[in-house]
Amino acid sequence: LSFHRENKKHDYGLTAKQQKKQFSKKRKDEGYFQERYDELDADKLTTALNMLKNTIKHGILGSYVLIDSWFVTDFMLKEIRKIRKGMLHVVGMCKMDKRKFDIGGKEYNSQTIVKMNEVKRGKVRESRKFRSRYMVVDAEYKGQPVKLFYIKYKNARNWTLLLTTDLSLSFTKAMELYQSRWSIEVMFKECKQYLRFSKKKGHIEHIDKRNDIDELP
């Protein structure tokens, strides 16, 4: 678990009145308090990677790192794949934005990829288990091989994208893995509701073992 705040440019996310009411106390510039204080302004992606590496250092090993769309960047994918010579794979939701994927030497964004594949016979498949239609596309993202699962749930108007660096994963297995995040989402909801934590922009959740799910500390 780590704590972060808005940057100084945005007044730390507080009004002038709220800043004035903040509790303050002089403390030593060392020890655990100072570590937590320094962490407040640290880059969230770097903090997440450090937490992941520290978890593995303490013997909590796994196969998959499950992340939300805020953390799905080329930096995170490459850095996670470097850990223990590729021991960990990523499964994460990805924004349907302007980022481009390399397919057969040409680059396309998600909207174009969907349009290209929707008209191909047999490309769009059905999943009764997840009540959805989906397409599977092999591609590269900034040099990193990835498998893209474009998903349209029943009654949904738009496609969503689930990305993984494990090219052997099927759609069903990838979805089962990613749904393991739900328990941590419930935990965050309760933290916000009962501990009055503010809304988070993103978070890294689990390492998935072969037979179990462990939360990162």
Side-chain angles (χ1 to χ4, degrees):
L1 180 66
S2 63
F3 293 94
H4 299 268
R5 62 181 174 181
E6 293 292 335
N7 58 41
K8 188 175 181 180
K9 182 179 178 181
H10 297 99
D11 297 319
Y12 303 112
L14 302 172
T15 64
K17 186 177 180 180
Q18 289 172 328
Q19 291 186 57
K20 190 175 181 179
K21 283 186 175 181
Q22 284 188 107
F23 173 81
S24 63
K25 179 180 179 180
K26 187 171 180 60
R27 301 178 187 271
K28 295 180 180 179
D29 295 333
E30 58 185 19
Y32 291 116
F33 173 79
Q34 188 62 38
E35 288 182 27
R36 297 285 78 79
Y37 184 80
D38 292 340
E39 195 176 67
L40 289 174
D41 298 314
D43 173 73
K44 296 180 182 68
L45 298 184
T46 302
T47 298
L49 282 170
N50 289 338
M51 291 171 67
L52 181 58
K53 292 175 182 178
N54 190 50
T55 300
I56 293 171
K57 182 180 178 181
H58 285 80
I60 303 176
L61 306 179
S63 304
Y64 298 96
V65 180
L66 312 181
I67 54 180
D68 67 17
S69 60
W70 196 82
F71 282 92
V72 177
T73 67
D74 58 307
F75 168 76
M76 285 294 284
L77 298 185
K78 289 177 182 177
E79 290 302 311
I80 289 174
R81 291 295 293 139
K82 286 179 183 177
I83 297 173
R84 293 282 185 94
K85 298 181 179 181
M87 178 185 77
L88 296 172
H89 277 290
V90 172
V91 179
M93 277 295 168
C94 185
K95 295 178 181 178
M96 296 278 289
D97 51 21
K98 294 181 180 180
R99 76 184 72 194
K100 293 185 177 181
F101 299 96
D102 187 301
I103 301 174
K106 295 183 179 181
E107 292 189 335
Y108 308 93
N109 62 30
S110 286
Q111 300 297 337
T112 302
I113 293 172
V114 167
K115 288 179 181 178
M116 288 169 53
N117 286 280
E118 272 185 309
V119 297
K120 291 183 179 179
R121 186 174 182 179
K123 193 65 178 179
V124 180
R125 307 173 192 176
E126 299 282 341
S127 172
R128 291 185 179 180
K129 181 173 183 177
F130 296 104
R131 302 178 69 189
S132 64
R133 300 165 64 215
Y134 69 94
M135 297 181 289
V136 184
V137 179
D138 291 318
E140 285 192 5
Y141 180 48
K142 305 290 186 180
Q144 172 64 51
V146 293
K147 180 173 278 190
L148 309 175
F149 298 103
Y150 289 96
I151 310 158
K152 181 179 277 189
Y153 297 101
K154 186 177 181 180
N155 299 323
R157 295 181 61 185
N158 300 314
W159 292 84
T160 58
L161 172 58
L162 182 66
L163 175 152
T164 181
T165 58
D166 186 351
L167 306 185
S168 70
L169 280 186
S170 66
F171 170 74
T172 299
K173 182 60 177 178
M175 288 290 286
E176 289 173 347
L177 286 169
Y178 193 70
Q179 284 190 338
S180 301
R181 294 178 61 252
W182 181 247
S183 60
I184 201 76
E185 293 292 347
V186 173
M187 186 272 285
F188 273 111
K189 180 179 183 297
E190 292 178 346
C191 283
K192 295 172 188 177
Q193 183 176 349
Y194 299 114
L195 302 181
R196 304 172 84 176
F197 283 10
S198 63
K199 185 177 180 181
K200 303 292 185 297
K201 285 186 177 178
H203 43 268
I204 190 165
E205 284 88 14
H206 306 283
I207 294 180
D208 175 49
K209 289 185 175 180
R210 291 297 180 188
N211 299 312
D212 197 8
I213 298 291
D214 281 323
E215 297 172 13
L216 288 175

